[in-house]
């Protein structure tokens, strides 16, 4: 398992954060998600044999948000 933290631009409200959380939670290989509207970030625990950080970033950006930083890069 790996954890990635995504700094997300465009999280304007708690509903936006919930939307991103639901989106990430439904991605194959994701085992846990914590999204913070206040910190404009999402922490995702995922199985790297099933998905990747790039795929998770792409899913968030397809929803209309912009990932401005990620850790680990």
């Amino acid at each position: 398992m790996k954890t990635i933290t995504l700094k997300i631009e465009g999280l304007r409200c708690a509903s936006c954060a919930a939307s991103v959380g639901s989106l990430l939670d439904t991605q194959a290989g994701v085992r846990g998600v914590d999204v913070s509207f206040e910190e404009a970030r999402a922490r995702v625990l995922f199985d790297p044999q099933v998905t990747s950080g790039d795929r998770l970033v792409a899913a968030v950006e397809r929803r209309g948000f912009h990932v401005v930083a990620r850790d680990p890069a």
Side-chain angles (χ1 to χ4, degrees), residues 24-41:
L24 289 168
D25 199 40
T26 62
Q27 300 299 302
V30 171
R31 301 291 180 249
V33 178
D34 176 45
V35 181
S36 171
F37 156 63
E38 293 84 5
E39 296 176 20
R41 63 108 185 111

Side-chain angles (χ1 to χ4, degrees), residues 2-55:
K2 285 181 76 173
T3 300
I4 188 169
T5 300
L6 307 175
K7 182 75 173 168
I8 304 170
E9 190 174 82
L11 287 180
R12 293 186 178 88
C13 62
S15 181
C16 292
S19 175
V20 168
S22 294
L23 167 73
L24 289 168
D25 199 40
T26 62
Q27 300 299 302
V30 171
R31 301 291 180 249
V33 178
D34 176 45
V35 181
S36 171
F37 156 63
E38 293 84 5
E39 296 176 20
R41 63 108 185 111
R43 272 196 199 100
V44 186
L45 177 67
F46 67 98
D47 183 343
Q49 294 182 354
V50 178
T51 194
S52 67
D54 289 339
R55 286 183 185 163

